[in-house]
């Protein structure tokens, strides 16, 4: 009986050590798998990012402006708004068939319309200026802005900059003289005037 008891007491530590060894190996295996999976996902993510950056279009270098468009303040007269200004050729080239693109915002639906306004004169030599002008109904459009400068028969777009043009002239208010009849005083009633002051209690 003592032999069987001795065998049982020696059997438990062996199985316990085996379980600990299996648990340690399992934990090590899981750690290695997690590390390998993380490294794989990180590498794949870096490759996807590199591919998406390579697929983006490279921005074109910004061209230097060849014209200066001066935009006058809109002039309102008799229900008509006049939009205009001056275009100056700031380059060393000559341009022909010039026209200015103006974007108008409608009042009723906030939609946008684009009008092409020819320049006078249409041919500009270097450092020469030309004027553009557009008249629209004030009740139809709420705002306007210059969005383009086109040249030639193919309507190629020229790079440009904008600047403040002429300011709106101040409105002249008609002076009117208003005559007020002097009220007649009734008997026993006193009217306080600069000519006839009185003390107010």
């Amino acid at each position: 009986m003592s032999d069987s008891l001795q065998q049982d007491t020696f059997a438990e530590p062996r199985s316990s050590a085996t379980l600990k060894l299996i648990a340690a190996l399992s934990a090590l295996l899981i750690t290695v798998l997690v590390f390998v999976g993380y490294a794989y996902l990180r590498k794949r993510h870096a490759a996807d990012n590199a591919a998406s950056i390579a697929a983006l279009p490279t921005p074109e270098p910004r061209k230097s402006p060849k014209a200066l468009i001066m935009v006058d303040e809109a002039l309102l007269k008799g229900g008509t708004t006049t939009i205009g200004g001056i275009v100056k050729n700031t380059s060393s080239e000559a341009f022909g068939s010039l026209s200015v693109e103006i974007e108008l915002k409608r009042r009723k639906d906030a939609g946008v319309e684009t009008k092409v306004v020819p320049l006078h004169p249409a041919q500009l030599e270097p450092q020469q200026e030309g004027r553009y002008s557009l008249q629209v109904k004030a009740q139809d459009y709420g705002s306007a802005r210059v969005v383009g400068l086109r040249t030639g028969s193919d309507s190629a777009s020229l790079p440009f900059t904008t600047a403040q043009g002429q300011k709106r002239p101040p409105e002249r208010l008609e002076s009117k003289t208003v005559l007020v009849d002097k009220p007649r005083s009734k008997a026993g009633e006193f009217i306080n005037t600069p000519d006839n002051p009185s003390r107010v209690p």
Side-chain angles (χ1 to χ4, degrees), residues 29-69:
L29 181 63
I30 290 171
T31 304
V32 169
L33 289 174
V34 167
F35 180 75
V36 169
Y38 172 75
Y40 170 74
L41 289 176
R42 188 172 176 184
K43 186 176 180 181
R44 184 176 174 185
H45 179 68
D48 289 346
N49 278 348
S52 62
I53 290 171
L56 288 175
T58 54
E60 294 181 5
R62 191 170 182 178
K63 298 176 182 177
S64 59
K66 296 188 175 182
L68 172 66
I69 302 178

Side-chain angles (χ1 to χ4, degrees), residues 8-195:
D8 289 342
T9 53
F10 285 123
E12 284 180 6
R14 287 179 187 172
S15 62
S16 177
T18 306
L19 286 175
K20 285 182 180 179
L21 182 62
I22 292 172
L25 289 175
S26 299
L28 184 63
L29 181 63
I30 290 171
T31 304
V32 169
L33 289 174
V34 167
F35 180 75
V36 169
Y38 172 75
Y40 170 74
L41 289 176
R42 188 172 176 184
K43 186 176 180 181
R44 184 176 174 185
H45 179 68
D48 289 346
N49 278 348
S52 62
I53 290 171
L56 288 175
T58 54
E60 294 181 5
R62 191 170 182 178
K63 298 176 182 177
S64 59
K66 296 188 175 182
L68 172 66
I69 302 178
M70 288 173 275
V71 183
D72 297 345
E73 286 188 3
L75 182 63
L76 180 63
K77 189 175 181 181
T80 302
T81 302
T82 303
I83 302 157
I86 292 173
V87 176
K88 182 177 181 180
N89 182 358
T90 57
S91 72
S92 57
E93 309 172 49
F95 299 112
S97 303
L98 286 169
S99 57
V100 178
E101 279 185 316
I102 298 177
E103 186 181 86
L104 301 168
K105 192 171 184 179
R106 293 190 295 267
R107 288 186 188 273
K108 62 179 180 180
D109 60 355
V112 172
E113 281 183 35
T114 302
K115 301 276 186 185
V116 178
V117 185
L119 203 66
H120 298 289
Q123 175 84 20
L124 287 186
E125 297 296 325
Q127 305 305 315
Q128 188 180 3
E129 295 180 352
R131 178 161 277 281
Y132 66 96
S133 181
L134 173 68
Q135 290 187 335
V136 294
K137 290 183 180 178
Q139 63 187 10
D140 293 342
Y141 301 101
S143 64
R145 69 184 185 103
V146 173
V147 293
L149 179 64
R150 302 205 167 270
T151 179
S153 57
D154 57 350
S155 295
S157 181
L158 286 177
F160 66 93
T161 56
T162 58
Q164 176 69 47
Q166 292 180 355
K167 292 191 174 182
R168 184 185 301 116
E171 295 180 10
R172 292 182 181 176
L173 299 174
E174 295 180 8
S175 59
K176 293 183 180 179
T177 305
V178 178
L179 297 175
V180 178
D181 293 336
K182 190 173 182 180
R184 294 180 183 175
S185 60
K186 298 178 183 177
E189 188 179 355
F190 180 80
I191 297 178
N192 189 8
T193 64
D195 297 332

